[in-house]
Each structure stands twice: as structure tokens, then as C-alpha cells.
Amino acid sequence: MNKERKEFPYADVIVDISHESVDRPFSYRVPEHLKGKLEPGVSVLVPFGKGGGTRQGYVVALRDSISFEENRVKEIAGIAAGDTTVSAVSVRLAGWIREQYGSTMIAALKTVLPAKQRKRNLEKKEICRLLSPEETKKLAEDCGRKHRNAMERLLTALSEQERIPMELVREKLHISPSTINSLEKQGALLVETMRVYRDPINSLREAEQKSAPGSGGIRLSDAQRNIVDSIRKDYDAGVRKTYLIHGITGSGKTEVYMALIEECLKGGRQAIVLIPEIALTYQTVSRFLKRFGGRVSVLHSGLSAGEKYDQCERAKNGDIDVIIGPRSALFTPFDNVGLIIIDEEHEPSYKSETMPKYHARETAVYLASLHRASVVLGSATPSLESYYRAKQGEYGFFYLGERLTGNVLPKVYPVDLRRELREGNRSIFSRKLQELMEDRLEKKQQIMLFLNRRGYAGFVSCRSCGHVMKCPHCSVSLSEHKNGKLVCHYCGYEEPAVKNCPVCSSPYILGFRAGTEAVEERLHRMYPKARVLRMDGDTTKKKESYEKILSAFADGEADILLGTQMIVKGHDFPAVTLVGVLAADMSLFAGDYRAAERTFQLLTQAAGRAGRGSFPGEVVIQTYKPEHYSIVHAAGQNYEGFYEEEILYREIGLYPPAAHIMAVLVTGPDEGRAQHLAKELAKIARRKEESGDLAVLGPGTASLAKLSDHYRFIFYLKSSDVKILAGQRECMEEYIQALQKCPEQVQFDVDPMSGY
Ligand code: ADP
Ligand code: ZN
Ligand code: ZN
């Protein structure tokens, strides 16, 4: 018997209430009129609770029998109108996300729904000629003789053109509906209604059509060809894998992606291309448009609900088969995905910051297994996780080490800010950077200045010797709190603030603070004639301002672009020949175990911005820690060297990828209660500590100790086995469910990307 067609009498439904106590499927009877119409993913209305009201929910399974009395089962009230359905694959994906990252099932289901609401279909009307051009022309002349001028105008136009859009007929030819009606009755024309899709990149497509034909003809280099051929060979042999391409900026990774997508489309399958939100620019999208034209679209949070809904519809009905977007584009409802590409796979934005805190890379690998698809990761600075897995043979690995445009990698000068201070320079610009800035301003070449503020958490460092105050238990930096104490955000360790450096006794030991605004002011004072553009969280609050600032700079409207990490990706600026990193160590002591990795990545990416055009580039990296391995290796553009040192540290400290770590964040309006719950939960986890592969750290006050009047406490679990962490999470969830009242919120974060 065909299982698909079977009329199941019962359905399991996840009700749309995000609360642990109802986070399980409830069984309902399927009413006669819905038999055979339900499948996993359909949104339904069900009676729920004592009041007799209905709630929305999602069918997650159909079943033959139930384990309790028939008369206690309620009946499904109907299919929910206006809601989109999720595919059966998405229901499985949601189940996996729930299990892997910890969240309610309903939150996981909502995550895998790219368009939450059904929107009105947009329509377009066209007038089509039914008679031959000659007959139509003749009829027009007849109308002219009878002074039916409107009819004559329309028929004359139709004799020249078989189809005319309705708007043109109404607005340009000024024809009324009654005229159209009577000609339709006479059999001269037909009004046709067609569905049109909202197209978020319509203007880009039009611009593309006018420009020269695309790069389809580029000849891949031997190294590029080798990647495409190897992956294809695997694919043809039935092997599905995850591959990592480690390729320096400009080494031709994007060309490889496009060649792979082409192969995928030839096989009749669809491709998903993930890029970090920040890199989703005009330049990136138009390259894919050039190559794949109407087959491509985008899906991201900036689209309207209607645009999102339509892109999903187009994906479902096969109108498009390549989607580009940030992590949520992973949930595009394609039915036969052959390839998932993740560009800049090391980017922290691939990890969701809200529950469920899924990582797009791991989720992509699981999704690929459901579709039997391949996954290709690309980066100039791969994440430790991916490189580690590639080294262990779990991922296929390729290296691209040359720029194909012929230009060379920039020259990098590390500058020791301690020495600048010793030699009397108290400015935020070192002498080397000033000298090179003046040179570029004179030559009218562009400069980018980069203030690294990511993860800035008020670490305390010595301006004379560079010593940073660290936790004796966790080897992450201590953060300065308002109460004057230095606090570790991993284990809760505290010590009083210091007045003198414990290493060199210098009194210049303080929290590091400097903003882009202050730097901009300095620039104006030093170079009054230079045109400066500033880009940071303040100047880019509006949706388009980000793109506007970058295009203005690309068009040469400024000499200096000053900004936070936002400026290091996306656009290509061929006229930039100098990049200055003002304080490279700011992210080095962010108080989390990824700080060195993040710093290395940011510095390498920033350096990669210089000299993309025909002039060679130079990079100045200012730092208090020139001897730190992440800075030494970034200056030497030496990924392998960095990896070798960093992985040792991860192995010794049992941090990912050597082990897994789960952050548990407890927040609540009452400080004492929230802290108490954090302690209780940590105690539960500690019960298993004895048995081996589990360590519990904390709880302590979170780095962000209070947010919107909610107090935040954090503790960490470490284990080499992610399943042990999931088991611990379940124990804690059970404890929370059993509580009478729980105004506190508990969030889990597996292998977090940043500190709390
Ligand atoms: P990445 O994605 O690694 O930064 P891209 O694919 O953007 O690299 O390529 C960088 C530049 O090199 C682009 O201008 C691209 O057109 C050019 N390029 C890439 N592959 C080739 C090739 N095989 N021959 C010539 N130019 C190439
Ligand atoms: Zn010191
Ligand atoms: Zn500590």
C-alpha cells in the first residue's frame, strides 16, 4: 500500500506556545473532511487548554493509533488559513535543531520557516490580440470612420504589438475598461491575468541586462579546475562530503563556487549560497546575476513579508534554483538541493543570536545529508573547527594560494605602541602610519582606517609593557566592572582592581577605551583638507546607509574611510593602497576563548583590503602586543602558523574544536532568584562531573551583568562529547519544567561564538 495516500485517523501536533511545559506533540483526531489532506508541516487549528479556545500548531506526524482513551482525544478544528506550511524535510530539520541546540520545538519550527505569512498574490494583466495584425488594422480603420476614437487607438496599437500590459493601455493610451470590455466581447482581444512575483533585486536585474554579458567565459586556473573536477568526481561516484576551500582573498573562490553551481543546475538540482549578512552587497549579487540571470534570487531579513513569501513560492515551483542570502537562506524551500556553499565560513554571523542558537555550518551539513547534497565551505581564514576537521580527513580540503588578477599581497608593518609611548608619541597614530597617510593623501590614493572594537569588554592592559590582567583559572582576560573589581566571565573569579602593573609597576594600567568619533576628530585636526567618511553602528542605523557610505567611498568621494569591523568586507576598493589598524589587540582580550582567532581573522581580512587594484598596498598594524602569535601570524599572512599555536591552546583548555562547550545563561528580574537558579542548575550538572567527561565552570555574573532590568548569570559545561552536553541540558530542562513558578529565562548556547 502506498503510505503517502493512507488516511491516518490521528495526527501529532506541536502547538504554537513557546513554553517548555507544552513542548511536546499532542495527539488529535483527524476529522473526516481532512483525511488524506494532512501531512507533516501543515499548519492547523486545534482546541487547546481549558477555556475551549483554539490555537495554531503544526502537524509533525500522522499515526494509526494512540496510547490513551479514544474519548479523551480532541479533534483538529481545521487547516489554518494564511499560514505557510513547512515541508517534511523542514520538520525533520527542526527536530534536529531542537535536539542539537536546545529550544522548544515550536521555536525550531518557526526558525526553519523562511516566510512566516502567506501574502496576497500580485497579479499583472495584459491585453492580447486575437485577430491577425491585418484584421485588427482593418477593424481599427472601421472604428475610426465611426469616430470611435478610443477603440481605434487600442486596435492600432494591437495591430503593431501582440500583447500590451494593462497599465500602458490605461495610462498611456487612456482607454477605459468599458472599451476594453466591448472589444473583448467582439472577439478582438483577450484580457489575460498572470501571477507576478515581487522581485527584491528587480532594479539590479535591469541594470545587469543593460551591461555587457557576464563572466561565463572565464577560464579556470589549474588549481580552480582541480577543485571543480574533484568534487564532481566524488559526486558522480555517489560520494557526498563537506569540502573546505582555504583560499586567500582574491584567489578565485567565487569563480569556483559558480562553476560548481553550474554543474549542480545541469543535474537538475538546486543550490544555496550563504554569505555573511554584511557581505550581501550589490557587487556580490550582481556577479551571480551575470552568470545565472533569472535563475537567481535573494532571501534575507531586509525583504518585506511579501517579497519573502514570493521568493519561497518561486523556489517551490521551480522558478528559481539558486538562492543567495545570510544564514536563514538555508531554509529556502527547495525540494532537491544538490549543493550548499558557505562563503566566509568563519564569520560569527553564521551563528544565530536568538534561540535556537543554531550554527548555519553544522545545520547545512545536516540539511545536506537529508537531500544527499554536497557542502562547500570557503574562507581566507577558516574557522578552527573546519580546518581541524579538514586535517582529520572529515572534510575534503583544497588550497588556493595565488591572486589571479596578478597583483601581489600587501606589505605589512606591525608597530609597537609601547615603543611609541616610550619615545614620546602619545597620539593614536604611530609615526609610521602618519608618514604613510601623508604620502597617500598627497598621491590622492585612498586610505582605510580600522578600529577593531568587536567583543570589546573593557579589558585592562598596561600601556607601558602590554601586560593584560587575566583569570588564573580560565586564561581569558578579566573585565573591569563599575564596582571597581576585575571579573572573569567564565568562572566568576574576582579580584580588586590594580593601581600599578603587576609586571612592570607602571601606573599606566587602565581599561582601553577609544571610539571612532574621537578618531575622526583627530583626523580632522591633523589633516583639515582630507575628506573622511565614518562608518560604525551610529552612522549605519538606517537600512541603506551602509551601502551608501561604501558606494560613496568606492566612487572616490572621500580620501579616508574610518570604521569598525564592518568596513573589512563586501566591497572591493581598487584605489585603497593603505590600510591602518589602529588598535589590533582590542579584540584580543574580549574575554572569550575565540578572541585570538577573531583577532587573526579580522587583521588578515583588513590587510586583504589593501592593494586590490593596480598599485601595491601597505598595511600598518598598531598594537601593544606585537609578539602575540595572532598578530605575528596575521602580519606574516601565515594561517598555518596561527592554527598550529591556537589549536594547542584549545586542546589544553578543552575548548572547541578539541571539545564542546555549552553556555547556560540564566536571566531574571530578581537578582537573588536568578543567581540561585543558576547555582541550582550548575549543581545538577555537577552531579555528573565525577563520572569523567564533563567539567562545570561557574556560575558567575555575565559580562553584560544586567540588560533591560534583567540580571544575567552564566555558567559553562565542557565535554568532548556533545551528546553528554545535550543530556545535561535535558536534566536541567526537566528541573525547570518541574518548578511551580519560574520568572527566570534559561538559554543554552552550544559552542558559543562570543562571550556573555
Ligand atoms: P575570491 O572569491 O577568492 O575573493 P574571486 O573569485 O572574487 O576570488 O576572484 C578574484 C578576482 O580574480 C576576480 O576579479 C575574478 O574575476 C578574477 N579571477 C578569478 N578566477 C580567475 C581566472 N581563472 N582567470 C582570471 N581571472 C580570474
Ligand atoms: Zn606593565
Ligand atoms: Zn575564570
Side-chain angles (χ1 to χ4, degrees):
M1 190 169 64
N2 185 342
K3 257 201 153 165
E4 304 290 310
R5 296 267 165 78
K6 200 172 150 190
E7 297 189 348
F8 290 93
Y10 304 103
D12 285 352
V13 175
I14 291 279
V15 182
D16 191 353
I17 304 172
S18 211
H19 196 282
E20 282 84 8
S21 64
V22 293
D23 190 38
R24 58 184 179 86
F26 292 87
S27 295
Y28 286 90
R29 192 168 35 243
V30 179
E32 257 340 286
H33 71 279
L34 290 183
K35 287 220 169 116
K37 288 191 181 151
L38 296 181
E39 56 182 6
V42 173
S43 177
V44 289
L45 293 171
V46 291
F48 195 81
K50 293 199 183 83
T54 56
R55 285 277 192 167
Q56 225 167 46
Y58 291 94
V59 174
V60 290
L62 293 165
R63 54 171 64 245
D64 274 320
S65 60
I66 42 169
S67 56
F68 50 97
E69 288 162 50
E70 173 71 28
N71 61 12
R72 285 181 50 215
V73 194
K74 294 179 194 163
E75 199 168 78
I76 291 178
I79 290 183
D83 246 51
T84 50
T85 57
V86 288
S87 67
V89 163
S90 301
V91 173
R92 283 183 70 183
L93 188 60
W96 180 86
I97 286 177
R98 197 209 97 81
E99 208 176 289
Q100 195 76 10
Y101 300 102
S103 78
T104 57
M105 185 63 185
I106 193 73
L109 277 170
K110 285 182 168 173
T111 299
V112 302
L113 265 179
K116 314 240 174 331
Q117 296 158 344
R118 186 187 291 276
K119 285 282 162 181
R120 194 172 54 86
N121 290 352
L122 285 194
E123 286 174 343
K124 185 174 98 179
K125 288 189 171 158
E126 272 186 1
I127 294 197
C128 323
R129 184 179 73 209
L130 287 183
L131 306 172
S132 72
E134 295 76 30
E135 288 168 321
T136 310
K137 183 124 195 89
K138 210 166 147 270
L139 197 58
E141 286 160 6
D142 284 351
C143 291
R145 279 192 290 276
K146 292 175 193 155
H147 303 292
R148 291 180 175 155
N149 295 342
M151 283 191 182
E152 186 196 1
R153 274 203 308 282
L154 178 54
L155 288 167
T156 307
L158 272 179
S159 71
E160 286 155 13
Q161 202 180 335
E162 202 179 341
R163 305 175 75 94
I164 312 179
M166 184 65 97
E167 314 107 70
L168 276 187
V169 172
R170 301 290 307 276
E171 280 150 32
K172 290 265 157 62
L173 298 174
H174 305 289
I175 310 288
S176 69
S178 65
T179 307
I180 297 169
N181 233 329
S182 75
L183 282 175
E184 193 170 17
K185 273 195 196 124
Q186 291 174 37
L189 56 82
L190 184 73
V191 178
E192 241 181 38
T193 307
M194 284 162 300
R195 167 137 193 216
V196 285
Y197 292 105
R198 298 165 181 92
D199 186 2
I201 46 174
N202 194 22
S203 55
L204 211 53
R205 284 190 214 279
E206 279 166 9
E208 216 42 75
Q209 263 159 16
K210 284 183 204 127
S211 75
S215 66
I218 228 171
R219 243 186 84 95
L220 293 185
S221 69
D222 289 346
Q224 287 170 319
R225 188 80 257 158
N226 171 47
I227 300 178
V228 177
D229 289 347
S230 307
I231 294 179
R232 170 161 201 170
K233 222 168 107 198
D234 277 355
Y235 195 91
D236 289 345
V239 177
R240 300 293 186 275
K241 257 170 107 163
T242 301
Y243 304 88
L244 171 64
I245 304 176
H246 175 204
I248 61 169
T249 31
S251 61
K253 294 185 290 298
T254 310
E255 289 298 329
V256 171
Y257 303 153
M258 292 197 289
L260 289 169
I261 294 169
E262 206 158 282
E263 303 257 326
C264 169
L265 298 192
K266 268 190 219 149
R269 305 186 74 185
Q270 300 114 15
I272 297 172
V273 183
L274 299 189
I275 57 182
E277 184 107 48
I278 217 158
L280 185 66
T281 57
Y282 170 89
Q283 282 183 337
T284 334
V285 178
S286 62
R287 259 178 99 177
F288 282 86
L289 268 182
K290 269 206 179 90
R291 184 75 166 256
F292 302 107
R295 313 302 308 164
V296 187
S297 193
V298 297
L299 194 59
H300 58 86
S301 58
L303 303 189
S304 70
E307 285 172 333
K308 276 187 211 164
Y309 176 67
D310 273 3
Q311 303 327 299
C312 290
E313 291 288 292
R314 295 171 81 191
K316 270 188 210 163
N317 63 29
D319 201 36
I320 52 169
D321 30 36
V322 182
I323 199 90
I324 309 176
R327 60 169 190 263
S328 58
L330 202 52
F331 307 121
T332 305
F334 284 137
D335 63 2
N336 190 9
V337 177
L339 177 66
I340 304 174
I341 287 166
I342 306 184
D343 191 28
E344 315 257 17
E345 63 88 25
H346 62 277
E347 270 294 308
S349 68
Y350 284 125
K351 174 113 191 201
S352 168
E353 281 168 3
T354 53
M355 294 283 276
K357 300 190 174 184
Y358 69 95
H359 197 296
R361 188 197 317 121
E362 294 159 356
T363 310
V365 171
Y366 179 74
L367 180 65
S369 75
L370 294 180
H371 281 282
R372 296 221 11 90
S374 314
V375 179
V376 174
L377 312 172
S379 174
T381 51
S383 64
L384 267 265
E385 276 88 344
S386 297
Y387 205 72
Y388 183 77
R389 288 180 192 139
K391 285 217 153 193
Q392 297 204 322
E394 190 184 333
Y395 291 174
F397 181 76
F398 302 102
Y399 179 66
L400 292 174
E402 274 167 53
R403 281 187 173 178
L404 290 164
T405 43
N407 53 30
V408 289
L409 283 172
K411 219 174 144 123
V412 184
Y413 309 97
V415 173
D416 186 347
L417 287 174
R418 296 169 304 188
R419 206 171 127 196
E420 293 288 309
L421 186 72
R422 268 203 306 278
E423 293 172 7
N425 177 18
R426 285 166 179 270
S427 155
I428 35 178
F429 304 113
S430 61
R431 290 162 296 179
K432 181 76 189 173
L433 183 56
Q434 287 182 32
E435 173 201 319
L436 292 177
M437 283 202 292
E438 276 151 34
D439 173 72
R440 295 316 194 272
L441 288 172
E442 198 152 291
K443 287 185 186 149
K444 305 243 174 290
Q445 293 174 0
Q446 284 181 310
I447 303 166
M448 279 171 96
L449 294 180
F450 171 54
L451 188 62
N452 184 357
R453 274 174 61 96
R454 192 190 300 256
Y456 166 59
F459 72 91
V460 174
S461 67
C462 171
R463 300 296 266 292
S464 299
C465 77
H467 175 73
V468 170
M469 301 299 292
K470 282 190 167 184
C471 173
H473 309 296
C474 305
S475 63
V476 298
S477 59
L478 295 170
S479 298
E480 194 180 28
H481 269 222
K482 284 209 189 81
N483 62 11
K485 284 191 175 142
L486 300 178
V487 181
C488 169
H489 297 304
Y490 276 68
C491 72
Y493 169 85
E494 286 188 358
E495 63 177 53
V498 288
K499 293 227 160 52
N500 293 91
C501 171
V503 176
C504 75
S505 309
S506 155
Y508 291 107
I509 181 155
L510 31 101
F512 199 102
R513 294 170 207 284
T516 39
E517 240 168 305
V519 177
E520 188 182 15
E521 251 176 59
R522 290 300 309 241
L523 282 171
H524 280 311
R525 251 181 288 146
M526 287 169 63
Y527 312 112
K529 284 202 199 118
R531 297 162 303 163
V532 180
L533 273 174
R534 175 164 66 92
M535 186 152 128
D536 55 26
D538 293 335
T539 61
T540 54
K541 282 210 181 85
K542 282 207 214 87
K543 197 175 137 195
E544 311 84 24
S545 48
Y546 169 75
E547 185 72 36
K548 241 185 229 157
I549 295 174
L550 292 180
S551 334
F553 188 61
D555 292 344
E557 286 171 30
D559 307 300
I560 303 175
L561 175 63
L562 162 69
T564 52
Q565 57 272 5
M566 299 174 158
I567 67 173
V568 302
K569 349 205 134 61
H571 270 257
D572 234 357
F573 303 108
V576 170
T577 58
L578 174 63
V579 168
V581 182
L582 298 181
D585 11 8
M586 279 199 73
S587 62
L588 202 46
F589 307 105
D592 75 290
Y593 68 91
R594 290 187 197 268
E597 180 181 6
R598 196 68 39 76
T599 302
F600 175 81
Q601 286 164 350
L602 285 171
L603 295 180
T604 310
Q605 304 264 347
R609 299 266 96 199
R612 303 279 285 237
S614 35
F615 300 105
E618 286 177 302
V619 180
V620 176
I621 295 180
Q622 305 190 152
T623 170
Y624 291 100
K625 280 253 153 191
E627 70 283 357
H628 191 281
Y629 63 95
S630 68
I631 290 169
V632 171
H633 292 309
Q637 314 257 326
N638 179 3
Y639 178 85
E640 187 72 28
F642 168 75
Y643 174 84
E644 291 298 341
E645 292 205 36
E646 178 66 11
I647 199 72
L648 272 181
Y649 160 68
R650 303 280 179 99
E651 276 167 354
I652 293 163
L654 285 181
Y655 287 114
H660 293 281
I661 179 165
M662 179 166 75
V664 185
L665 177 71
V666 180
T667 62
D670 183 304
E671 188 173 10
R673 277 198 59 129
Q675 183 171 29
H676 178 74
L677 179 59
K679 278 185 182 158
E680 287 301 307
L681 293 175
K683 216 190 279 171
I684 293 170
R686 285 218 160 83
R687 276 190 244 143
K688 285 273 159 54
E689 223 173 0
E690 294 293 283
S691 60
D693 192 3
L694 179 71
V696 182
L697 306 169
T701 315
S703 150
L704 192 57
K706 192 172 155 190
L707 181 67
S708 334
D709 286 327
H710 278 60
Y711 294 87
R712 296 154 54 92
F713 294 89
I714 186 86
F715 65 97
Y716 292 88
L717 277 66
K718 281 186 199 172
S719 174
S720 69
D721 186 354
V722 77
K723 290 208 179 75
I724 291 182
L725 297 181
Q728 287 302 306
R729 193 182 61 226
E730 269 169 39
C731 292
M732 289 185 252
E733 280 170 344
E734 269 168 33
Y735 176 85
I736 298 162
Q737 274 175 33
L739 291 176
Q740 287 296 329
K741 231 177 85 190
C742 184
E744 285 77 32
Q745 275 205 335
V746 181
Q747 291 189 20
F748 301 96
D749 189 352
V750 179
D751 297 345
M753 293 302 281
S754 54
Y756 275 88

